[in-house]
């Protein structure tokens, strides 16, 4: 027998539960289906456990640097990896449980703990149950991509999920992929005591960022003893005894690396291949992402896709923002659009990179004059006081409209301080108005007005981008 609802939500990630809460509160009868752990990637295998591990790694790093601050430790720093791991697992488990309890206690909400699969544009099969609703919201997320590199299926490798199960420090961790996820793991495991090599196919790390950022990130990692191999155009794997041989064709360095463990961090793949989307007639792009319009509706009226699976964002806050857009348009009569979103994000190495808006390369592509200001963290009092002076603050602005176009803060507290700029861009505040602010001393944010004062016309034919 078919169970009928006002709407079905597939996936309890970062958009699904909040959307369910708003829809049920408006009086609708909702079914939410989750096949795995409640809270999805962020809570269970992404942001929360990794940031907990990053915090443990930072504690180890600071302990080793104790003498720099006049804090003397008589013993070498030891890592209790079981404790490190269980701390992260506890943070995730508590959060996942909270999401599940929240949903199970929600009035008008029926929770199904199983995989969902479309049977038609308004029907979803969950185990032996057939559910039907005029509206269906897909929030199925993504998973680690396994690249088609020679030998990859002959070796045992880690992904972000299996790394979280490790209760030991690898002797030599080889991270394939020098981008956001790979670099976080690389630095934390170096700080836990592993030898670490990052292998990146592109000529530089974090290629979505400007070259000055890539260079500074590389410098930060190399100073901690992480080996970085860029331009690794041909990567292949062979089983070692023990460990893994990783063949890299780089412009520099020996052609082979021997690792005890391999982490694949080369991108994500949407969880859209086993959803039966063809039965509903939902269109995918060539990479498997669900195609949506500016209000996140698919080509099938009544079916929406939110979060990582629509390819319009790859972050917890973009998934949550997708929920806000859909809820506002359906329930509040708003006309919100994804294309209005000002994208901000962070790279959680230490010091972190906080980013918002356009990169310098993107600004240059516009072909219009622009202003640029860069301030090294060695000239930020708070960073000097903390003896954490790596990185820089950078801002790009439009001299005609006086709008800030983009900014980066690679430095201590950069992930927090960037929000002052993010808010200004969102509010479309002209940059010269920010100069009137009286920021708190001593903070990283207090230098934002100074960075603005230093905005200068950028030379069109040279520079970092
Ligand atoms: C290591 C790592 C670190 C990260 N760190 C950050 C960070 O610091 N900040 C940040 O903003 N983002 C971070 N991210 C990205 C962030 O985790 C994701 O962008 C976010 O979780 C996406 O949320 P979502 O709602 O789209 O999907 P998800 O959170 O992935 O949720 C999707 C849910 O759908 C379920 N599902 C899938 N298919 C089905 C089905 N057929 N039936 C029923 N249920 C199904 C899944 O089990 C899952 O629970 C990180 C990711 C990783 C991997």
């Amino acid at each position: 027998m078919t169970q009928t609802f006002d709407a079905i939500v597939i996936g309890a990630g970062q958009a699904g539960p909040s959307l369910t809460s708003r829809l049920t509160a408006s009086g609708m009868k909702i079914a939410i289906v989750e096949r795995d752990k409640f809270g999805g990637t962020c809570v269970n295998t992404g942001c929360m456990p990794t940031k907990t591990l990053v915090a443990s790694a930072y504690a180890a790093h600071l302990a080793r640097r104790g003498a720099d601050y006049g804090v003397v430790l008589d013993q070498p720093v030891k890592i209790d990896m079981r404790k490190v791991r269980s701390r992260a697992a506890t943070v995730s488990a508590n959060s996942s449980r909270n999401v599940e309890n929240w949903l199970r206690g929600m009035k008008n909400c029926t929770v199904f703990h199983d995989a969902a699969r479309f049977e038609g544009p308004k029907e979803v099969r969950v185990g032996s149950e057939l559910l039907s609703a005029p509206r269906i919201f897909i929030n199925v997320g993504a998973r680690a991509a396994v690249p088609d590199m020679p030998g990859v299926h002959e070796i045992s490798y880690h992904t972000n999920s299996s790394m979280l199960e490790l209760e030991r420090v690898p002797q030599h961790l080889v991270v394939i992929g020098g981008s956001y996820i790979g670099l976080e793991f690389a630095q934390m495991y170096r700080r836990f005591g592993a030898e670490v090599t990052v292998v990146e196919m592109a000529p530089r790390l974090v290629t979505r960022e400007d070259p000055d950022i890539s260079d500074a990130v590389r410098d930060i990692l190399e100073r901690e003893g992480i080996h970085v191999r860029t331009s690794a155009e041909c990567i292949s794997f062979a089983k070692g005894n023990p460990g893994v041989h990783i063949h890299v064709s780089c412009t520099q360095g020996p052609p082979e690396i021997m690792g005890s463990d391999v982490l694949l961090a080369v991108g994500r793949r949407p969880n859209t291949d086993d959803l039966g989307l063809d039965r509903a007639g939902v269109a995918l792009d060539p990479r498997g992402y669900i195609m949506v319009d500016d209000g996140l509706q698919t080509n099938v009226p009544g079916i929406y896709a939110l979060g990582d699976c629509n390819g319009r964002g790859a972050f917890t806050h973009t998934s949550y923002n997708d929920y806000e857009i859909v809820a506002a348009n359906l329930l509040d009569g708003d006309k919100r659009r994804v294309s209005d979103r000002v994208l901000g994000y962070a790279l959680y190495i230490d010091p972190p990179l906080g980013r918002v808006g356009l990169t310098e390369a993107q600004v240059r592509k516009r072909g219009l004059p622009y202003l640029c200001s860069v301030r090294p963290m060695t000239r930020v009092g708070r960073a000097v006081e903390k003896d954490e002076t790596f990185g820089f603050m950078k801002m790009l602005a439009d001299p005609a409209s006086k709008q800030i176009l983009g900014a980066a803060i690679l430095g201590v507290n950069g992930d927090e301080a960037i929000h002052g700029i993010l808010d200004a861009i969102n509010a479309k505040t002209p940059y010269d108005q920010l100069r009137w602010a009286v920021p708190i001393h001593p903070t990283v944010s207090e230098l934002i007005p100074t960075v603005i004062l230093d905005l200068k016309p950028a030379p069109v034919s040279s520079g970092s981008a």
Side-chain angles (χ1 to χ4, degrees):
M1 221 180 69
T2 308
Q3 295 193 50
T4 307
F5 295 89
D6 293 317
I8 301 167
V9 176
I10 305 176
Q14 294 305 306
S18 301
L19 182 63
T20 303
S21 171
R22 281 263 358 234
L23 295 175
T24 53
S26 76
M28 291 168 80
K29 193 179 148 206
I30 307 297
I32 183 163
V33 192
E34 171 52 57
R35 71 176 174 190
D36 196 359
K37 291 182 180 162
F38 289 80
T41 307
C42 179
V43 165
N44 298 290
T45 57
C47 340
M48 294 194 80
T50 54
K51 264 34 100 185
T52 311
L53 294 173
V54 164
S56 290
Y58 179 71
H61 179 66
L62 212 55
R64 284 191 196 102
R65 290 195 58 209
D68 294 347
Y69 299 87
V71 178
V72 181
L73 295 175
D74 290 336
Q75 302 286 328
V77 172
K78 279 198 204 149
I79 305 294
D80 177 351
M81 217 38 218
R82 287 172 76 100
K83 169 83 192 196
V84 167
R85 193 213 150 226
S86 83
R87 211 177 76 82
T90 303
V91 168
S92 290
N94 288 345
S95 181
S96 179
R97 196 179 320 109
N98 288 343
V99 175
E100 180 168 3
N101 290 344
W102 180 37
L103 289 169
R104 291 200 186 276
M106 216 175 264
K107 201 174 150 217
N108 294 332
C109 172
T110 308
V111 176
F112 293 85
H113 201 178
D114 206 336
R117 206 179 153 79
F118 279 89
E119 294 276 342
K122 294 188 178 8
E123 287 88 37
V124 168
R125 161 93 41 209
V126 183
S128 56
E129 311 276 350
L130 190 62
L131 318 183
S132 166
R135 285 204 180 105
I136 301 178
F137 301 96
I138 307 170
N139 175 220
V140 292
R143 62 185 185 275
V146 175
D148 203 13
M149 290 169 174
V152 74
H153 296 295
E154 272 90 72
I155 60 158
S156 66
Y157 56 77
H158 298 288
T159 64
N160 63 290
S161 305
S162 61
M163 278 305 281
L164 300 171
E165 304 299 322
L166 273 192
E167 288 193 336
R168 62 183 170 85
V169 178
Q171 194 236 323
H172 184 181
L173 176 66
V174 179
V175 179
I176 310 294
S179 206
Y180 307 88
I181 292 174
L183 296 186
E184 261 181 44
F185 278 106
Q187 191 187 42
M188 77 171 78
Y189 271 92
R190 179 68 191 141
R191 290 178 170 192
F192 293 149
E195 184 180 352
V196 174
T197 303
V198 176
V199 178
E200 167 58 50
M201 284 181 134
R204 57 188 177 88
L205 300 176
V206 277
T207 44
R208 277 197 213 140
E209 307 300 338
D210 287 323
D212 50 358
I213 294 197
S214 296
D215 292 349
V217 165
R218 181 173 183 150
D219 181 48
I220 287 164
L221 299 177
E222 286 185 333
R223 278 169 189 269
E224 292 191 24
I226 294 169
H227 314 291
V228 177
R229 301 287 303 270
T230 44
S231 302
E233 286 123 11
C234 299
I235 302 170
S236 64
F237 306 93
K239 225 174 179 170
N241 189 18
V244 180
H245 297 277
I246 301 106
H247 302 270
V248 284
S249 171
C250 297
T251 41
Q252 288 170 349
E256 188 174 291
I257 305 165
M258 197 53 216
S260 62
D261 293 74
V262 171
L263 165 64
L264 298 178
V266 291
R268 310 277 299 163
R269 233 189 112 170
N271 292 324
T272 52
D273 35 3
D274 55 357
L275 255 183
L277 286 167
D278 49 333
R279 295 191 184 193
V282 173
L284 301 176
D285 76 7
R287 295 185 307 147
Y289 289 98
I290 300 173
M291 290 164 74
V292 288
D293 63 19
D294 226 7
L296 299 164
Q297 190 162 205
T298 68
N299 62 311
V300 179
I303 303 185
Y304 295 74
L306 298 83
D308 284 12
C309 67
N310 66 24
R312 302 288 292 265
F315 300 99
T316 284
H317 45 282
T318 48
S319 178
Y320 187 80
N321 183 235
D322 284 0
Y323 137 68
E324 292 177 317
I325 291 168
V326 167
N329 292 349
L330 287 179
L331 302 173
D332 305 333
D334 285 353
K335 288 200 169 55
R336 289 180 62 174
R337 300 179 306 177
V338 190
S339 55
D340 291 335
R341 178 154 75 203
V342 175
L343 184 64
Y345 55 89
L347 160 65
Y348 286 96
I349 58 164
D350 169 46
L353 167 69
R355 275 270 301 114
V356 61
L358 303 180
T359 62
E360 190 166 358
Q362 290 168 331
V363 169
R364 273 170 185 271
K365 256 200 195 144
R366 300 172 2 137
L368 298 172
Y370 66 97
L371 307 175
C372 180
S373 172
V374 178
R375 184 176 195 88
M377 294 305 284
T378 47
R379 294 180 59 215
V380 175
R382 190 66 195 272
V384 173
E385 288 143 17
K386 288 186 150 191
D387 195 8
E388 299 187 28
T389 53
F390 293 127
F392 56 87
M393 303 169 77
K394 178 174 176 180
M395 187 181 287
L396 306 158
D398 183 343
S401 66
K402 296 208 182 308
Q403 294 295 308
I404 300 171
L405 299 171
I409 304 180
L410 173 63
V412 61
N413 298 343
D415 54 331
E416 297 286 350
I418 197 73
H419 284 89
I421 305 173
L422 190 150
D423 290 342
I425 297 179
N426 261 305
K428 299 191 170 45
T429 310
Y431 58 74
D432 47 4
Q433 269 191 24
L434 292 186
R435 293 197 310 234
W436 292 89
V438 184
I440 296 166
H441 172 78
T443 56
V444 174
S445 299
E446 76 176 319
L447 271 305
I448 291 174
T450 315
V451 169
I452 290 171
L453 272 174
D454 288 344
L455 280 167
K456 303 233 164 34
V460 177
S461 59
S462 63
S464 57

